[in-house]
Amino acid sequence: MPDFPQPAPLTAHGPARIIAMCNQKGGVGKTTTTINLGAALAELGRKVLLVDFDPQGALSVGLGIPTHDLDVTIYNLLVERGLDVRDVIKHTKVANLDVVPANIDLSAAEVQLVGEVAREQILARVLRPVLDDYDVVLIDCQPSLGLLTVNALTAAHGVVIPLECEFFAMRGVALLVETIEKIIDRLNPRLTIDGILATMYDGRTLHSREVVASVVEHFGDRVFHTVISRTVKFPDASLAAEPITTYESAHKGADSYRQLARELIARGGAA
């Protein structure tokens, strides 16, 4: 494992680099990674904005935001004119970590945006006013390759692909990479794949080790050195509505996300 140094403190904030957390397969650790990577980057003095872009609203709930009581969410920003993203941003208990929440209303956006002009670029327009206030924007995408995910990839500078250490999860990555390459070609030429992140790793099983070896064989340097192991502490932290970095600061899961944050910065994926 390379040694990823503690990054130097920032003297100023912004403009933000936007990273989409994307995989069309559900249950691979997208939301867990978005919350905990965001918190680890915030610990390093980065100002981080998380965007909940999944109608299930798991990211918002995982940070203690009562999604059913919200009058305005990311959905309103997408479909209504005249709203400012700053009025929708919620602060979390973690310093330097803010969130644009979502709830089930977002499921209607896909249908409503179909007839819009430049419908793939609506999220980019929504986020533009606050990019100078943050260093990193992490978008938690829904598990599909629909219009919302295309919006996220069109707005993003980079994409991180969380990949469960399981054979069927690996099969879908080739399809996702193909979709990303189409978006680079047609909509967002600046988009790069920041890395593939192995999640839910169980070092005791041959299957997990074989999947990681196969992913490295196929994707080489695109695979992060950091691997996120399976642990019950992640769902426990979600239940407590906080990141693992504050819920169980000394746990190896918290250290893994701190290492991922340092690796992302070292690779140039974050300031």
Side-chain angles (χ1 to χ4, degrees):
M1 175 69 69
D3 180 39
F4 301 110
Q6 195 76 0
L10 295 177
T11 52
H13 296 292
R17 189 166 186 278
I18 303 172
I19 301 170
M21 209 63 65
C22 191
N23 192 327
Q24 78 272 26
K25 187 178 184 303
V28 297
K30 287 189 296 293
T31 303
T32 300
T33 295
T34 308
I35 291 173
N36 293 303
L37 174 58
L41 287 166
E43 264 188 13
L44 294 172
R46 274 64 187 161
K47 288 199 74 177
V48 182
L49 178 65
L50 307 182
V51 179
D52 192 347
F53 218 46
D54 184 346
Q56 295 174 64
L59 175 80
S60 308
V61 172
L63 287 165
I65 294 163
T67 54
H68 297 298
D69 301 340
L70 297 172
D71 294 327
V72 285
T73 64
I74 187 72
Y75 164 75
N76 302 89
L77 291 169
L78 294 174
V79 301
E80 296 172 22
R81 285 281 178 182
L83 276 179
D84 190 330
V85 63
R86 293 181 184 89
D87 298 332
V88 182
I89 290 172
K90 302 283 183 191
H91 301 299
T92 69
K93 298 173 202 164
V94 181
N96 292 325
L97 187 68
D98 296 339
V99 61
V100 179
N103 57 23
I104 196 65
D105 293 349
L106 185 58
S107 57
E110 202 123 10
V111 177
Q112 287 176 258
L113 295 178
V114 164
E116 289 285 325
V117 175
R119 58 181 183 260
E120 299 90 356
Q121 291 160 2
I122 294 171
L123 181 62
R125 176 179 57 77
V126 163
L127 294 176
R128 204 170 292 134
V130 292
L131 292 185
D132 287 338
D133 302 338
Y134 294 94
D135 301 307
V136 184
V137 176
L138 296 177
I139 306 171
D140 183 27
C141 298
Q142 67 176 150
S144 83
L145 293 178
L147 185 53
L148 291 180
T149 301
V150 170
N151 254 274
L153 292 172
T154 305
H157 301 94
V159 54
V160 170
I161 304 172
L163 174 69
E164 184 185 2
C165 292
E166 188 254 331
F167 176 68
F168 290 113
M170 197 176 78
R171 290 181 65 200
V173 172
L175 176 66
L176 178 58
V177 169
E178 203 176 288
T179 302
I180 290 167
E181 284 168 353
K182 280 181 187 168
I183 285 168
I184 292 169
D185 188 41
R186 299 172 193 177
L187 291 167
N188 185 5
R190 70 183 178 181
L191 183 64
T192 58
I193 296 176
D194 287 340
I196 295 168
L197 174 69
T199 63
M200 302 184 188
Y201 177 75
D202 187 345
R204 298 168 301 178
T205 68
L206 180 63
H207 185 68
S208 269
R209 297 198 298 272
E210 283 179 342
V211 168
V212 169
S214 181
V215 171
V216 171
E217 188 183 321
H218 280 88
F219 296 102
D221 290 343
R222 282 178 162 178
V223 183
F224 285 106
H225 291 284
T226 305
V227 172
I228 309 299
S229 295
R230 191 185 292 274
T231 169
V232 73
K233 290 296 178 188
F234 289 130
D236 285 353
S238 298
L239 207 59
E242 58 181 302
I244 195 168
T245 50
T246 58
Y247 176 75
E248 189 95 14
S249 185
H251 192 271
K252 67 177 183 180
D255 288 340
S256 295
Y257 276 110
R258 290 186 182 108
Q259 182 177 294
L260 177 62
R262 294 196 305 272
E263 181 172 1
L264 188 67
I265 290 169
R267 280 173 170 245

